[in-house]
Structure formats: C-alpha cells, structure tokens
Amino acid sequence: MQSKLTLVGAGPGDSELITLKAIKALQGADVVLYDALANDSFLEYAPSHAVKINVGKRKGQHSFKQDEINKLIVDSALEHGHVVRLKGGDPFVFGRGYEELEYAKKFDIATEVIPGVSSSIGVAASVQIPITHRDIARSFWVVTGHTNDGSLPLDIDLAAQSSATVVILMGMSKLQEILGIFDKHGKSTTPIAIIQNGTMENQKSVFGRICDINSKVNESQVTNPAVIIIGEVVSLHPEYLEQYVAELTKQ
C-alpha cells in the first residue's frame, strides 16, 4: 500500500466543470476529505468502500481546524493509502492547498495536484463577462475579501487604483468597506457584478455601479457564497446594458 495525497480542484460548482483527471483520482480514492462543496454529486465518483469525511469550513461553522485537517490527511494516508483532498475551485487559489501538501511531504507521503477551474475566472466566464478585454482591461486582480484577522487585505486598495478588472472572493461580509475604498478612489460609477452560487442552477446575479449596488443587493438578497467582479468589463453584460443604456448612449 502506497500512502498518497492528491489535491483535487472540483471547480466552481457545475457538475460538468470538474476535470476528467479529477474524476479518475476520485475513482481511485481510499479516503475523500472534502470541503463544503457547491456540488456533493462529485462524491459519487469515489468507490463505495472509500471513507468520505466532510472537513469543510464555513463562517461560524468550522467543523475542523486547519491543523486538524493536516493531521487527518496524514493519518488517513498512512492507514488507508490514497487520500483525495477535494476542494472547491482550484486548490491553490485561496484554498490553503499548499499548506496541506507541505505537511504531507514531511511524512514522506507522495503528493499530486490536479488543478480545478477557479471561481475567480470561471464564474465570470459562465455569465459571459470577460475579465480581460484588449480594449477595456488588459489585466486583472484576484483578491480575497478577508485576512486571518478578519480585516480587508491592503491589496484591495491598490487594486482600486488600477484600471484592471478586480475579482474579490469571500468578500460579501465586507461589501460596504470594499465599496467605500473604490468610491474613495473616484470609482463611484465603475460597473460591478455580484454573482451568488456561480455556475449552479440556483445562481443569482445583480449588476450595478459602486454607487448603487448596495441597494440592489438588498433588493435581490444576494449573499454568500458570491464572486464580486468590479471593472469596465461588467458593462459588456446585457443586464448591465439594459439598466444604463440611456446614459451610455449619451456618452
């Protein structure tokens, strides 16, 4: 029996956006340690004998601390063999995947990483918002909405000063602060989209500008888990155009 850890990205949620290589890894799993997935159907790819444990962390509902997950990975690999650590999106995009990989290597456990479609770009693409466009945005930022101490990362202030598209993950609880930062930098009319449960059947979207998106969020009741997309590329979406076409035609 070879002890092995495979970090697998499950994608943003749509059951068809998991990769073929990820499915093959799940089919060969002895243990599956999975996060609070957007789509639990991925677990059906694992063998019936495989041990399946939900180690997902949600705000206010942490079932396992990161140190406990690390130890569980190693204990499971040494006892059972092949551990698939299944994470939403991509395991190396705000997924703490490298920490788990690094810990397993200390115990001479073989490791592999199978990338996944990150919600940071996949959700935008699924609603036909290009996060880059040669005439509008030639770069993009992907920023988390909070740090370990619960504050906003300083990068958001830097991103707000650029002409790039800004994608913020896990930022809904800090939406007011985020809007304030963009407004401070003269971006009150910058387009913004907020997409909840992106790529899923229960997806909800709201479009607006920095100056008015808060009221639209309250009306639509869009909440976590959501991806925030800020930048001129949002103005290419038909729903945004419908709201602001009168103003756009005057420009």
Side-chain angles (χ1 to χ4, degrees):
M1 181 186 71
Q2 181 188 18
S3 297
K4 180 179 180 181
L5 165 65
T6 303
L7 289 178
V8 173
D14 186 326
S15 62
E16 295 182 344
L17 288 178
I18 192 169
T19 66
L20 179 59
K21 191 165 187 175
I23 291 172
K24 289 180 178 179
L26 283 166
Q27 290 171 337
D30 297 305
V31 179
V32 180
L33 304 180
Y34 62 98
D35 282 347
L37 299 172
N39 199 320
D40 289 338
S41 67
F42 299 137
L43 299 175
E44 296 174 6
Y45 293 116
S48 58
H49 72 266
V51 179
K52 305 175 184 70
I53 304 174
N54 183 351
V55 295
K57 299 189 289 292
R58 288 292 193 198
K59 186 175 180 181
Q61 300 178 358
H62 289 198
S63 54
F64 284 83
K65 295 180 180 179
Q66 190 60 51
D67 288 346
E68 295 172 331
I69 294 174
N70 293 346
K71 186 176 185 302
L72 185 58
I73 287 171
V74 169
D75 291 346
S76 298
L78 295 176
E79 181 179 352
H80 298 285
H82 185 200
V83 175
V84 169
R85 178 71 174 97
L86 188 61
K87 293 174 171 286
D90 181 275
F92 278 7
V93 180
F94 302 127
R96 303 188 73 170
Y98 189 78
E99 296 175 39
E100 297 172 0
L101 197 77
E102 189 176 36
Y103 188 82
K105 287 181 177 179
K106 294 178 181 178
F107 296 84
D108 296 322
I109 294 171
T111 59
E112 182 181 3
V113 179
I114 299 177
V117 177
S118 171
S119 61
S120 61
I121 58 175
V123 168
S126 72
V127 295
Q128 300 185 27
I129 295 176
I131 59 172
T132 62
H133 187 291
R134 66 178 181 171
D135 296 324
I136 300 174
R138 295 175 176 83
S139 60
F140 64 91
W141 294 64
V142 178
V143 191
T144 179
H146 60 83
T147 58
N148 288 339
D149 62 6
S151 62
L152 276 177
L154 297 177
D155 284 347
I156 291 182
D157 189 84
L158 296 173
Q161 299 176 58
S162 75
S163 60
T165 305
V166 182
V167 181
I168 303 173
L169 306 182
M170 300 172 287
M172 288 301 290
S173 63
K174 298 286 186 178
L175 182 61
Q176 290 296 322
E177 293 180 54
I178 293 168
L179 297 177
I181 289 171
F182 278 82
D183 184 62
K184 177 185 71 175
H185 291 294
K187 300 290 184 70
S188 63
T189 60
T190 298
I192 176 173
I194 300 177
I195 304 164
Q196 178 185 351
N197 297 319
T199 77
M200 302 288 289
E201 291 184 359
N202 59 342
Q203 174 179 295
K204 293 176 65 176
S205 304
V206 59
F207 298 84
R209 293 175 173 174
I210 294 296
C211 60
D212 62 18
I213 192 65
N214 190 53
S215 61
K216 295 177 185 294
V217 166
N218 291 335
E219 292 171 7
S220 64
Q221 297 186 333
V222 166
T223 184
N224 281 315
V227 174
I228 302 170
I229 306 167
I230 303 172
E232 295 302 325
V233 292
V234 174
S235 67
L236 300 175
H237 194 278
E239 192 166 331
Y240 180 91
L241 289 171
E242 288 177 9
Q243 294 182 48
Y244 300 104
V245 65
E247 290 184 32
L248 291 171
T249 54
K250 293 178 182 178
Q251 296 179 3

